[in-house]
């Protein structure tokens, strides 16, 4: 069933992206109409995991699946009457969510390391300039 749900999801996204007219056709997002508090019609963008969870009948919010510690996640799953397929979907959603956060942190660390190396390079260049100036001053005094 899980494979059936994900296969259907991918087929729907292929047909949506091929029939779009220049709008954002990202395969991980779609738009659903909804009513806002003030009665105006708006849209909510559902990600891939939200759509898969909705189609599988999982009532959890994706953030509620990804964010809690493992023991709370397992307790949350055990309190619900979920099929094995739904449990596998929840675990996959959690794994993808954790991986997404880890990738974001990795990119952030990489940028911070680049900034630190740039600062060290700038400092080394300043030091080199000072040493050259001092060297020239010493050479000219003799």
């Amino acid at each position: 069933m899980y494979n059936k749900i994900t296969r259907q999801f991918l087929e729907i996204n292929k047909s949506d992206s091929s029939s779009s007219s220049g709008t954002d056709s990202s395969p991980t997002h779609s738009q659903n109409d909804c009513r806002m508090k003030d009665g105006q019609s708006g849209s909510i963008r559902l990600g891939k995991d939200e759509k898969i969870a909705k189609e599988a009948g999982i009532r959890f919010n994706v953030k509620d699946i990804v964010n809690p510690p493992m023991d709370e996640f397992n307790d949350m799953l055990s309190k619900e009457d979920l099929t094995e397929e739904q449990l596998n979907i929840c675990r996959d959603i959690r794994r993808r969510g954790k991986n997404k956060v880890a990738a974001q942190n990795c990119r952030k660390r990489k940028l911070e390391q680049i900034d630190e190396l740039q600062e060290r390079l700038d400092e080394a260049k300043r030091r080199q300039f000072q040493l050259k100036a001092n060297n020239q001053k010493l050479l000219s005094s003799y």
Side-chain angles (χ1 to χ4, degrees):
M1 180 174 169
Y2 174 63
N3 290 332
K4 181 180 174 186
I5 291 171
T6 54
R7 192 177 324 110
Q8 288 173 348
F9 172 74
L10 293 173
E11 288 171 3
I12 290 169
N13 279 331
K14 283 182 185 176
S15 64
D16 286 350
S17 64
S18 63
S19 65
S20 68
S21 59
T23 57
D24 181 21
S25 61
S26 172
T28 58
H29 293 91
S30 70
Q31 292 184 351
N32 290 339
D33 287 328
C34 68
R35 293 280 173 193
M36 301 179 109
K37 286 183 181 178
D38 58 3
Q40 294 178 336
S41 180
S43 65
I44 294 178
R45 295 180 66 86
L46 293 180
K48 174 183 169 186
D49 288 334
E50 285 96 350
K51 286 183 80 174
I52 291 173
K54 184 178 178 183
E55 290 172 5
I58 297 170
R59 295 176 295 195
F60 298 123
N61 184 333
V62 171
K63 289 182 180 179
D64 294 336
I65 294 173
V66 174
N67 291 337
M70 194 65 187
D71 55 344
E72 288 180 27
F73 170 71
N74 287 330
D75 289 344
M76 180 178 67
L77 292 182
S78 66
K79 290 177 184 174
E80 295 291 321
D81 187 28
L82 299 174
T83 66
E84 193 63 34
E85 289 295 324
Q86 289 173 324
L87 289 172
N88 288 336
I89 291 170
C90 286
R91 290 182 187 113
D92 285 347
I93 289 171
R94 181 175 173 87
R95 179 181 43 79
R96 279 191 297 271
K98 293 287 188 183
N99 189 60
K100 179 181 176 181
V101 170
Q104 289 170 340
N105 290 339
C106 181
R107 287 188 288 273
K108 182 180 176 184
R109 272 193 315 272
K110 180 181 175 182
L111 291 175
E112 289 171 353
Q113 287 174 344
I114 290 171
D115 289 342
E116 180 187 346
L117 289 171
Q118 186 63 49
E119 289 173 8
R120 289 174 55 187
L121 177 63
D122 293 342
E123 180 60 33
K125 285 182 178 181
R126 280 191 293 275
R127 178 85 171 125
Q128 181 185 26
F129 179 77
Q130 283 179 336
L131 289 172
K132 281 184 178 181
N134 286 342
N135 189 23
Q136 287 298 326
K137 183 180 176 185
L138 289 172
L139 288 174
S140 66
S141 68
Y142 287 110

